[in-house]
Amino acid sequence: MANTLKKVDAVIVGFGWTGAIMAKELTEAGLQVVALERGPMQDTYPDGSYPQVIDELTYSVRKKLFLDLSKETVTIRHTVNDVALPYRQLGAFLPGKGVGGAGLHWSGVHFRVDPIELRMRSHYEERYGKSFIPQDMTIQDFGVTYEELEPYFDFAEKVFGTSGQAWTVKGEVVGRGKGGNPYAPDRSNPFPLVSQKNVVSAQLFQQATSALGYHPYNLPSANTSGPYTNPYGAQMGPCNFCGFCSGYVCYMYSKASPNVNILPALRQVPNFELRANAHVLRVNLDDSKQRATGVTYIDAQGRELEQPAELVILAAFQFNNVRLMLLSGIGKPYDPVKNEGVVGRNFAYQNMGTVKAFFDKDVHTNNFIGAGGNGVAIDDFNADNFDHGPHGFVGGSPMWVNQAGSRPIAGVANPPGTPAWGSAWKKATADYYTHQLSMDAHGAHQSYRGNYLDLDPTYRDAYGLPLLRMTFDWQDNDIRMNQFMVDKLSKIAQAMNPKSIAVLGKQVKEHFNTASYQTTHLNGGAIMGTDPATSALNRYLQCWDVHNVFVPGASAFPQGLGYNPTGLVAALTYWSARAIREQYLKNPGPLVAA
Amino acid sequence: MSEHVPDNPRRDFLRKTLTLIPVVTVASTGLGLGASAVIAEPARSPNVPEKTDAAQYQPAFFTVDEYAFLQAAVSRLIPADELGAGALEAGAAEYIDRQMGTPYASGALWYMQGPFDADAAPELGYQLQLNPQQIYRLGIAGVLGWCRAQGNKPFHEQSAAQQDRVLAALEAGDLVLQDVPAKAFFSLLLQNTREGFFCDPVHGGNKGMVGWKQIGFPGARADFMDWAERNERYPFPPVSIRGERA
């Protein structure tokens, strides 16, 4: 039997970005808050201290900061007719573990959102007609607009200490010729810090895309271009392009993380407690099933404990939020055959394409230099910035050089046709390691009726509970968009006059490959929306069915974005927290009538 | 920022390094290595000879026959040639033997609950029930047995050209082993060999930072504030976590 602990006002499951933001907001509102993090305590010191953290084998290769699959993983199949098999080794995506979550090891590309992507279905229907959207594509509107979210994007950037160049501020153009993005929506303020320097690879991308008539801009980066103190008093030092960014703790205190930017402030308040090594098994509901009473978790000693709470925030990684809802009986599980139910629907990803360019020895890209959020991008093919009519696919893609730093075990790429071993491999590696660049088409990914999440009938975690099952494959729209984008990217590469290029795009009928790293940008499964028949959460990230459960995170996205998700995740979390503080706490109940 | 922020471990490290060379040692890297595995070698003089002490290592996991295979195989996968030392000289065989004592090698980092489907499509990722220790044991036994059955010399006594043919057959999956898919064995061997050539020397490979020097990777320098924008060859040689300089 579980021991029951003293009741708190709010319990937060998971302490990554969304958990940290919610903890800060709810403690500011005077609530007694407990955050339960299943992984260990970890912080810049000692876990990210120099020189121990400058260790590719331990971090990138053995994946020290990522999800511990020995305890819990997901299963994956391509269609409902297949048997799902476990994701036994980390490959396609790399969720985090421990305090800070994926926010400790992320890269730091910190975008907002293209406004049309918040009203994806409405926008496409208005511009191209209903029949333009494939029948099995289940894209939806988020139910919130860019204008509503703008103050929260603005505040999140101040918390993160984001470097970048505005295009317009309050309608006035300020970014022309300075690295601003002419496709970016209006802002209420400039970025807190100026753009980072551009590495040589990014300079080459800037020159090539300018020559082709595109509109290159500096990537907004949550790696600092200078020293910074955020609104919570947290201090950051300037990024030194050390190249050990994505997959690592930032030893320079330059990459925004829950640990650097929010936790120091939470440590100062008496009404917050963070419990590490606390693995939540389920949300407990009362007999009506319309109200949560708290959560049950396992502590470091294996004891089962019940933490009662008035308010439950599911702030775990995208698929863990969905799994906890399914394990707890919150919301109706999605059935793709009947196209009914909400929990698990609209599971979407990122539609990546990559082109690498290899140069002669007079071009020094020095790929060990890098910063995770740094780079130059174009949005000429992102969102709906070009006419999709002649091309017949839904979705867009930013393209960029985002040189986060590549190291020799995992980061060696050679021209196509190079053997994988022997003297020829060795010579190519010596010839090209510091004379190459990599570009991505970071394509938006749409949601489909057949791509969804549910509980696996066979495989279980270390606690005996069913694993989450992903049913997911690339659809025709994805492959056609990817081929279009990779073609554009190849032409950009050719404009750099390289010795050779390598093109990594999708082939017709290609299946989702779980072994090959793509991104950790998983979306959906517990989506927000305006209709309880097609969304699990209302526009404030509140469960339609259980009003004292809120579920922030990319699990709320009805489809994937062209941009990286963290900026929108953070803004939506602040938006949801504001609704809790200003509306829910005064009158607990549904914030939107079902 | 203040020059004397108490929690600036990097500056502390650099300051201490200057005074401590050549007797720097470091704490465990969290890989489960015992203390003996992380005892520092003395730091090298600025001009590190390509000759390393890789030959002196006594394996703890591999048998004599297995280790002979491993040394021969890594020396073909990344051979010593006109560019410099290869994986054998870098200590890759020693590195792999040391790795066999870590949680990685017993499969403890992976989800290893059944049922297993060894015939699953490659897009579904690794689906064998074998961990790295088992793959090496079964894979090496399979190759040595195949060499015997062909009436050939043991692998490590074969010519370089013969060894390359065996490795290529493993890579292509043309050489069928009884207990482990040849491609799985080969890809593990190649991956671990590259690790042993390019890892920080704290893990037992990349001795003298020979792998890093050949490609121009500066190791643990990790500070390029003044170099980010420059289209120039980076001029400084690598350093390691233990403060060795190549």
Side-chain angles (χ1 to χ4, degrees), chain B residues 43-98:
Chain B
R44 290 163 193 287
S45 62
N47 292 314
V48 179
E50 293 281 286
K51 188 174 177 300
T52 67
D53 60 0
Q56 295 159 18
Y57 178 77
Q58 294 298 316
F61 173 80
F62 293 104
T63 65
V64 171
D65 288 347
E66 288 170 339
Y67 200 63
F69 167 88
L70 192 63
Q71 289 181 304
V74 303
S75 75
R76 293 313 305 155
L77 292 173
I78 305 178
D81 56 19
E82 66 276 10
L83 286 174
L88 181 67
E89 297 74 25
E94 169 185 336
Y95 160 82
I96 294 171
D97 186 72
R98 287 192 189 195

Side-chain angles (χ1 to χ4, degrees), chain A residues 494-535:
Chain A
Q494 281 152 4
M496 299 175 182
N497 291 316
K499 282 177 81 176
S500 60
I501 67 172
V503 179
L504 297 101
K506 292 187 173 73
Q507 307 302 314
V508 175
K509 305 277 185 200
E510 178 167 322
H511 293 295
F512 172 48
N513 184 349
T514 71
S516 166
Y517 180 69
Q518 292 155 62
T519 75
T520 307
H521 307 157
L522 301 168
N523 311 291
I527 67 174
M528 61 192 296
T530 54
D531 180 354
T534 56
S535 57

Side-chain angles (χ1 to χ4, degrees), chain A residues 97-161:
Chain A
K97 69 157 182 267
V99 169
L104 187 61
H105 72 68
W106 73 315
S107 300
V109 178
H110 186 192
F111 275 110
R112 295 187 169 192
V113 67
D114 189 287
I116 72 110
E117 289 189 315
L118 292 175
R119 45 191 310 279
M120 195 71 180
R121 179 165 288 272
S122 297
H123 177 87
Y124 268 79
E125 288 184 357
E126 286 160 15
R127 181 166 177 185
Y128 301 107
K130 283 189 179 189
S131 63
F132 192 81
I133 302 172
Q135 202 150 32
D136 63 346
M137 186 182 280
T138 53
I139 56 175
Q140 293 183 189
D141 296 356
F142 279 65
V144 61
T145 65
Y146 175 78
E147 289 70 25
E148 288 174 304
L149 291 179
E150 203 286 333
Y152 305 96
F153 281 119
D154 183 65
F155 187 68
E157 286 165 355
K158 292 184 167 87
V159 171
F160 282 49

Side-chain angles (χ1 to χ4, degrees), chain A residues 50 55 57 62 70 86 88-89 197 199 203 240-242 251 364 366 420-423 426 433 459-460 514, chain B residues 10 77 79 81 84-85 99 110-111 113 115 123 127 171 194-195 203 214 217 220 222 224-225 231-232:
Chain A
Y50 184 90
D55 183 353
L57 183 77
R62 296 288 179 263
S70 73
R88 295 186 181 279
Q89 298 179 351
K197 293 174 183 175
V199 298
Q203 295 168 23
N240 70 355
F241 293 84
C242 83
Y251 82 90
H364 300 273
N366 292 334
W421 52 281
S423 280
K426 201 175 167 205
Y433 173 66
Y459 293 96
R460 295 186 173 259
T514 71
Chain B
R10 177 165 193 278
L77 292 173
D81 56 19
Q99 283 291 304
W110 304 340
Y111 182 81
Q113 291 187 42
E123 291 91 347
Q127 296 295 338
E171 181 184 31
R194 286 188 187 171
E195 291 166 9
H203 299 289
Q214 283 175 35
F217 179 67
F224 306 111
M225 184 72 101
N231 187 356
E232 294 171 41

